[in-house]
Each structure stands twice: as C-alpha cells, then as structure tokens.
Amino acid sequence: MARVLTGIQSSGRPHLGNLLGAILPAIQLTENEKQESLLFIADLHSFTTIKDPEVRKENTKSIAAAWLACGLDTSKSIFYRQSKIPEVCELTWFLNCVTPYPMLANAHSFKDKADRLSDVNAGLFDYPVLMAADIILYDANIVPVGKDQRQHIEMTRDIAKTFNHQFGEVFVIPEARIDDEVMTIPGTDGQKMSKSYGNIIDVFLPEKQLKKNVMSILTDSTPMEEPKDPDVCNVYNIYKTVANDEQKIEMRNNYRGGNYGYGHAKTALFELILDKFKEERRMFNHFMENEPAIEQHLQEGEEKARAIAHKVLSRVKNTIGF
Ligand code: ADP
Ligand code: TRP
C-alpha cells in the first residue's frame, strides 16, 4: 500500500490560504483507502525561527485544532508532532554524514539568507536534511507539497539514493506530488497570502475580529456609484476562491452594475466565510478549549508513527553497523 506523507510547519496561525491550498486537499487524500497517510506538525523545523516556547506551543495547538476542525479523521491517518518522534533526530545525524556540504549550500531556503550569514543558524542550514529524515524514516512513497518545496524533495531523493548506493537498498525513494492546479490564494494586499507578509485572512478569529480582518482588505478609491472591474479587486479575488458559481456571477454583476461599494463586497465575503466555514469554526473553538482532546488525537498518532520509525531506524542502524 502506498504511503503518503506530508508536514506542516507550526510557524503561525492557519489562514485561508493554508486551508484551501494545503489542509483541505490533504484531508481529501487521506480519504483514499488505497493509501496510508501520515500528517505531521513540523515543530522541530519551526524552532529554526521561533524560539519563544509559548508562541510555539500555541501555534502547534492552533495548527492541530485547524486540521481536526477541518475534518481530519485520525482513525484513517497518522497525525503527530515531529518532535515526539526522537528517531527523526538520530536519523538526521546519519544522513548528515552522507550529505555533501555544497548540496546544502545550494538550497534556496539557505541561499535566500546567505547575504546575512550571521542570522543563519546551523539548524536552518541543515533544514533539508531534517526534512529528508522526516520522509524516509517512514518509507514514504508520495509527498504532496507546494511548489516551493520541490527542491527539498529533490534533495531528499538525492540523499536517500546516495545512502542506498553506499550501503544497499535501505531507503524507499519518495516522489513529490505537486499540484500545479492548486490556486494561490491572494492576501488582503493582493500578494500571495502568507504569514510572513502580514496579509492573512484568519478564518478562525472570533466574529468581530474576523469582520475587522476582512474589512482591512485593500481596495482602490472608486466611488460607490461607479461600476467596477471585479477581476482587479482584491475583495473579489479572495471571494472567488470560496464562492460557488452562482455567488461569483452575482457578485460580478453587482460590481459591473454600479451602486455597489467595496464595503458591500467585503460584507458579502465576511458572511460567506462565516457560512462556508461555520462547522470548522465551531470545531476549531471546541478543540482550542479542549486541549486534552487534541492531545489524545496526537498521542494516538505518535504511538503509531513511532512504531514505524523504530522499525526503519533499526534497519538503518543494522545496515551501517551501529
Ligand atoms: P505561509 O506562507 O503562510 O508561511 P506555509 O509556507 O506554512 O504558509 O504553507 C503551508 C501550506 O499552505 C503549504 O502547503 C502551502 O503551499 C500552503 N499555502 C500557503 N499559503 C498559500 C496560499 N496563499 N495559497 C495557497 N496555498 C497556500
Ligand atoms: N518544509 C515544509 C514546509 O515549509 C514542511 C515540512 C517539513 C515537510 N518536513 C516535511 C513537508 C516533510 C513534507 C514532508 O512547507
């Protein structure tokens, strides 16, 4: 049975882009009974940047709550925190010792920061090796990721192949699954929605704050009476990622007809988000207020993940003579 695995960093609260671009499609994948799926929160990776323990714990909790609220069924997939499986750190060391330095020096994630080397910690440099360990520790076959992770999966494959070449067939060579169709959800300023740009729609905020969040979407100053072009408007471009065809047509007509202001469009978007994610919002609050429930789901997953990790790591250690 093919094993599908993916990780999500716990670097902030989950937003509309994460939901539509990653969480909901990945949950759909777990519904496929012909595959075994592993989903984990990459909290060790987030330690490369987030050092505040409370912030990291809160992020991990909200990411877990979001997955569970969106319908992740933990009886159908293995859901766990990376840090609870210490085997991954041990494997990272073994992989480090077969990974050529220039490969890591070439990683985009490192090169982007190479002009400020004093800000780069060794963990950030080694990030791709920990990611390779995340994947091959579970004999994963398929790794669904966003386009930005393509190079990391290539490096994982190279590291696993180098190891196999030297020691025999120890590791399964994984493949990336990159869905070019997945929309990039725009943020409140029209750029890609991202925690790092401070332009997110935080779907799980309490109603009043969510409204304020939606109202903060940038628009131009066309007066209310005048007709507007929906395709160049941030509000419509976010609305269309959530709306059905009928709702999209109605809003397009409203824009073109005039006497329809950005305030109207924002209110419609706010109401649509409330309606569309009603159940998810309710369940998110339920889990956020019920930490033991989150803990239980994760601990069950961690037990299963650890059993696989232990088996694979033993295979590795036997092979290399430890
Ligand atoms: P961020 O850019 O907010 O830090 P991450 O890099 O943690 O988000 O991404 C987590 C997952 O969510 C990835 O699979 C990524 O492809 C997806 N994702 C993030 N932002 C968007 C977006 N604006 N549109 C679609 N998918 C997104
Ligand atoms: N680096 C990935 C990201 O930023 C997260 C991640 C860590 C991951 N380990 C992984 C994704 C293993 C897939 C498989 O999105």
Side-chain angles (χ1 to χ4, degrees), residues 5-9 40 42 45 127 131 134-135 143 145 149 152:
L5 171 146
T6 196
I8 320 96
Q9 276 207 68
F40 69 95
H45 275 113
Y127 185 110
M131 182 155 162
D134 281 332
I135 298 169
V143 187
V145 282
Q149 298 296 315
H152 287 148

Side-chain angles (χ1 to χ4, degrees), residues 24-314:
L24 294 170
I27 290 178
Q28 223 165 19
L29 272 181
T30 67
E31 303 288 327
N32 182 342
E33 278 158 19
K34 293 197 195 84
Q35 296 172 340
E36 184 178 16
S37 56
L38 290 96
L39 295 168
F40 69 95
I41 304 178
D43 52 353
L44 293 173
H45 275 113
S46 68
F47 190 55
T48 57
T49 51
I50 297 181
K51 300 296 194 289
D52 183 320
E54 289 314 314
V55 171
R56 203 177 47 257
K57 274 187 211 156
E58 195 58 24
N59 287 346
T60 303
K61 183 175 157 188
S62 63
I63 299 277
W67 281 84
L68 294 168
C70 288
L72 178 70
D73 180 346
T74 52
S75 69
K76 290 189 188 150
S77 58
I78 303 178
F79 186 46
Y80 60 100
R81 285 161 289 203
Q82 180 189 33
S83 61
K84 297 290 176 182
I85 322 292
E87 284 82 355
V88 79
C89 294
E90 204 173 340
L91 179 59
T92 300
W93 180 254
F94 296 137
L95 300 182
N96 271 333
C97 297
V98 301
T99 302
Y101 171 87
M103 181 198 281
L104 295 181
N106 254 328
H108 302 309
S109 50
F110 168 70
K111 274 214 304 214
D112 290 351
K113 297 172 182 94
D115 54 338
R116 286 175 282 115
L117 271 186
S118 54
D119 294 346
V120 175
N121 57 60
L124 200 70
F125 183 70
D126 205 34
Y127 185 110
V129 184
L130 177 58
M131 182 155 162
D134 281 332
I135 298 169
I136 60 184
L137 181 58
Y138 300 94
D139 287 340
N141 307 97
I142 300 164
V143 187
V145 282
K147 290 177 206 135
D148 57 323
Q149 298 296 315
R150 188 189 295 274
Q151 192 193 30
H152 287 148
I153 309 295
E154 277 310 313
M155 291 167 99
T156 301
R157 289 168 58 85
D158 285 347
I159 293 169
K161 283 182 193 165
T162 306
F163 203 98
N164 283 357
H165 186 70
Q166 206 163 334
F167 297 105
E169 296 300 302
V170 185
F171 292 123
V172 171
I173 309 297
E175 262 172 51
R177 182 177 298 163
I178 296 166
D179 189 349
D180 291 320
E181 299 286 291
V182 169
M183 282 176 296
T184 299
I185 313 297
T188 54
D189 58 357
Q191 291 188 80
K192 171 192 181 291
M193 185 179 295
S194 169
K195 290 179 282 271
S196 359
Y197 304 150
N199 64 357
I200 68 164
I201 300 276
D202 185 341
V203 178
F204 296 117
L205 281 176
E207 216 168 299
K208 231 171 153 180
Q209 284 163 265
L210 176 62
K211 184 157 193 183
K212 214 168 138 203
N213 185 190
V214 172
M215 291 298 162
S216 75
I217 299 172
L218 288 180
T219 50
D220 62 29
S221 54
T222 315
M224 207 220 8
E225 312 76 55
E226 277 183 36
K228 301 171 182 64
D229 179 358
D231 295 314
V232 298
C233 176
N234 291 335
V235 185
Y236 178 74
N237 283 329
I238 298 175
Y239 185 83
K240 74 176 184 197
T241 66
V242 188
N244 63 29
D245 286 347
E246 207 179 310
Q247 290 164 325
K248 280 187 265 188
I249 292 168
E250 190 186 340
M251 188 174 279
R252 294 181 74 81
N253 288 339
N254 285 336
Y255 267 72
R256 294 210 173 99
N259 276 326
Y260 187 79
Y262 293 123
H264 296 121
K266 288 177 183 178
T267 303
L269 172 59
F270 166 66
E271 282 166 2
L272 179 64
I273 292 173
L274 282 186
D275 180 53
K276 183 102 181 169
F277 297 108
K278 190 168 173 218
E279 190 54 16
E280 288 82 354
R281 286 170 49 83
R282 191 179 71 75
M283 289 308 287
F284 181 81
N285 291 334
H286 162 80
F287 282 113
M288 288 302 275
E289 282 157 21
N290 194 350
E291 210 167 336
I294 299 184
E295 201 50 48
Q296 193 189 342
H297 281 290
L298 286 168
Q299 283 179 13
E300 274 170 28
E302 281 148 12
E303 223 169 277
K304 294 183 207 156
R306 206 147 180 210
I308 303 173
H310 179 74
K311 226 164 87 187
V312 177
L313 186 65
S314 301

